[in-house]
């Protein structure tokens, strides 16, 4: 049965633990400019990277439930950590297409590497899950070197994308990738495209940078087109941003990083917010 007009014109749901998924949402808006987008950022419980996988799964499903209840026609898990933790559960739980960030980026990296040496920079949880190693296992002759870069998320969440401290940390994190002779590097966290400048500077212009954000956006385009789910409304698109933490802070930092892509955000309550320590 063909989708109804209301289903076709329903928004795309994008979920991330914080700001990083905005890089995916912006790329989706570029390739699907007429689609409405609803974004949920779990900023009150971010970052997910250092958390146990079981806790990430719980938090992610609570946020994805919120998006599904909002009536989205597709879910984009715009968080590598959450993709590694919850993808199987999400595909069993929801009746809408699920797009994630790991496999599209891995496929792209395998296609463009010249020497078969692929680097991955990601959060600790994504590194521990070995999600990229698993995704690239089907590509013969491709070796993977992974480096966890937890402070990159902290920089982005603070709106810091340049300066001597960021450069020093980048050089340290990228040493194993350089030592392995990787000619291709997956930005395996959707925060990292916002640090593309410093990462490219350290790695050099001969290294391919593969953004999990842009590959996820291309996958979203492909899935919606293949399933006949693109909107019939060719007017202006709407974007709604729902945040579990401070919505004004989110909007302010987002505007500093991405210009006017985010005008305003609203605070929502999802699950139980852990009490801060210290």
């Amino acid at each position: 049965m063909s989708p109804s007009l209301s289903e076709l014109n329903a928004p795309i749901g994008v979920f991330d633990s914080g700001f990083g998924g905005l890089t995916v949402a912006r790329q989706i808006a570029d390739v699907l400019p007429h689609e409405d987008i609803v974004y949920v950022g779990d900023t009150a419980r971010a970052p997910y990277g250092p958390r146990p996988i079981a806790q990430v799964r719980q938090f992610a499903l609570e946020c994805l439930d919120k998006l599904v209840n909002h009536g989205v026609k597709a879910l984009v898990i715009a968080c590598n950590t959450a993709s590694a933790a919850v993808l199987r559960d999400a595909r069993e739980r929801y009746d809408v297409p699920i797009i994630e960030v790991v496999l599209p980026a891995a496929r792209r990296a395998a296609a463009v590497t010249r020497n078969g040496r692929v680097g991955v920079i990601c959060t600790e949880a994504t590194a521990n899950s070995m999600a990229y190693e698993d995704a690239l296992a089907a590509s013969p002759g491709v070796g993977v070197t992974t480096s966890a870069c937890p402070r990159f998320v902290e920089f982005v969440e603070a709106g810091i994308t340049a300066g001597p401290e960021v450069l020093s940390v980048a050089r340290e994190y990228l040493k194993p990738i350089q030592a392995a002779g990787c000619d291709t590097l997956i930005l395996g966290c959707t925060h990292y495209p916002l640090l593309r400048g410093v990462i490219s500077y350290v790695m050099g212009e001969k290294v391919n940078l593969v953004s999990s954000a842009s590959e996820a956006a291309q996958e979203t385009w492909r899935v919606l087109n293949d399933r006949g789910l693109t909107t019939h409304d060719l007017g202006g698109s709407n974007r709604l941003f729902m945040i579990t933490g401070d919505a004004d802070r989110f909007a302010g930092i987002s505007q500093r990083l991405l210009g006017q892509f985010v005008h305003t955000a609203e605070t929502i309550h999802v699950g139980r917010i852990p009490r801060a320590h210290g």
Side-chain angles (χ1 to χ4, degrees):
M1 188 170 63
S2 299
S4 68
L5 187 61
S6 62
E7 288 174 310
L8 293 176
N9 293 337
I12 299 167
V14 180
F15 158 67
D16 184 51
S17 59
F19 293 87
L22 290 175
T23 61
V24 179
R26 183 173 65 175
Q27 294 278 350
I28 291 172
D30 287 344
V31 299
L32 292 163
H34 302 297
E35 299 285 351
D36 292 346
I37 294 172
V38 178
Y39 183 97
V40 168
D42 195 7
T43 55
R45 300 183 291 194
Y48 280 7
R51 294 187 179 277
I53 289 291
Q55 192 174 56
V56 171
R57 184 180 297 115
Q58 175 198 334
F59 291 172
L61 288 173
E62 289 170 353
C63 293
L64 292 170
D65 283 349
K66 187 78 173 179
L67 284 168
V68 170
N69 290 338
H70 199 84
V72 299
K73 64 182 175 185
L75 284 171
V76 182
I77 306 176
C79 173
N80 285 260
T81 303
S83 287
V86 81
L87 183 59
R88 183 177 299 176
D89 295 311
R91 286 187 168 149
E92 291 175 355
R93 189 180 183 101
Y94 308 118
D95 291 330
V96 297
I98 312 288
I99 295 103
E100 49 94 21
V101 289
V102 173
L103 189 56
R107 281 199 302 252
R108 179 65 178 165
V112 300
T113 181
R114 300 177 302 276
N115 66 8
R117 299 172 189 171
V118 173
V120 178
I121 53 176
C122 56
T123 66
E124 293 166 303
T126 300
N128 291 338
S129 75
M130 300 192 71
Y132 278 99
E133 286 82 352
D134 291 344
L136 286 161
S139 302
V142 173
V144 184
T145 301
T146 300
S147 178
C149 307
R151 291 197 64 197
F152 277 178
V153 172
E154 295 173 15
F155 285 130
V156 171
E157 298 274 335
I160 301 168
T161 59
E165 187 178 10
V166 177
L167 179 59
S168 175
V169 170
R171 283 178 168 148
E172 188 64 28
Y173 283 154
L174 294 169
K175 276 182 184 176
I177 310 296
Q178 293 173 311
C182 298
D183 74 345
T184 300
L185 176 62
I186 296 174
L187 309 184
C189 173
T190 50
H191 286 70
Y192 296 176
L194 295 165
L195 296 172
R196 190 183 187 99
V198 68
I199 293 167
S200 179
Y201 178 79
V202 173
M203 292 303 300
E205 62 183 22
K206 292 184 179 179
V207 174
N208 301 308
L209 299 187
V210 175
S211 165
S212 58
S214 98
E215 296 307 318
Q218 289 295 329
E219 183 74 358
T220 303
W221 185 95
R222 184 190 67 77
V223 168
L224 292 189
N225 274 272
D226 287 354
R227 300 195 183 198
L229 286 172
T230 52
T231 184
H232 286 194
D233 183 355
L234 301 183
S237 62
N238 297 304
R239 299 192 291 268
L240 171 64
F241 299 92
M242 300 187 290
I243 310 304
T244 61
D246 186 328
D248 289 339
R249 177 177 178 272
F250 177 88
I253 291 177
S254 300
Q255 287 165 12
R256 194 187 326 164
L257 295 172
L258 296 173
Q260 292 302 306
F261 183 73
V262 178
H263 293 288
T264 60
E266 63 181 67
T267 299
I268 59 170
H269 299 286
V270 175
R272 183 179 65 84
I273 307 302
R275 298 174 72 178
H277 296 287

